[in-house]
Amino acid sequence: VQLAESGGGLVQSGRSLRLSCAASGSTYMITDMGWYRQAPGKERELVATVHIGGSTRYADSMKDRFAISKDNAKNILYLQMNNLEPEDTAVYYCNARVQTSIEGYIEEWGQGTLVTVSS
């Protein structure tokens, strides 16, 4: 499975941005997809995930402003980010959990896309 993010850039505080992540390869093996982010000098943190069955999970601090969705036909994951704040500045990574065997999983990551929010 390969993941390619797009949609990052420079945006003013209070504006919106939508990130996309195109999955290719053995996408039928994906059980979960999600977004993580890493701000300068900080550890990577969860933003949101979506299970193949449709259930979603969000970081508490972002669930009111961010929305994760997936186009299953196109194998594209989205992250709609609204009312962005300078604290949202980070590299955003797409993640896929890939089932390789009955009990085996691996994590795949995209290269990341930079989001910069100016005040």
Side-chain angles (χ1 to χ4, degrees):
V1 172
Q2 296 79 44
L3 305 172
E5 303 99 332
S6 61
L10 175 63
V11 63
Q12 288 184 326
S13 179
R15 304 297 290 270
S16 298
L17 204 61
R18 189 177 79 160
L19 305 181
S20 301
C21 172
S24 60
S26 301
T27 57
Y28 62 92
M29 299 170 67
I30 295 174
T31 61
D32 300 79
M33 293 189 74
W35 291 97
Y36 292 74
R37 71 183 187 183
Q38 187 166 16
K42 296 186 177 181
E43 294 186 352
R44 192 172 298 188
E45 64 175 347
L46 167 75
V47 176
T49 64
V50 58
H51 187 263
I52 189 173
S55 60
T56 58
R57 179 167 65 105
Y58 291 88
D60 287 342
S61 62
M62 290 171 257
K63 62 183 178 180
D64 293 332
R65 299 184 295 118
F66 292 4
I68 191 170
S69 62
K70 188 170 182 287
D71 184 329
N72 290 317
K74 298 180 179 179
N75 289 311
I76 299 177
L77 181 73
Y78 298 101
L79 182 68
Q80 177 67 41
M81 304 185 292
N82 300 320
N83 193 21
L84 283 161
E85 304 168 351
E87 292 73 24
D88 295 316
T89 294
V91 177
Y92 285 71
Y93 295 93
C94 180
N95 167 272
R97 192 176 195 220
V98 181
Q99 186 169 7
T100 57
S101 65
I102 293 178
E103 297 182 356
Y105 294 86
I106 60 173
E107 303 283 341
E108 296 286 1
W109 295 90
Q111 80 286 354
T113 185
L114 176 63
V115 173
T116 304
V117 184
S118 63
S119 58

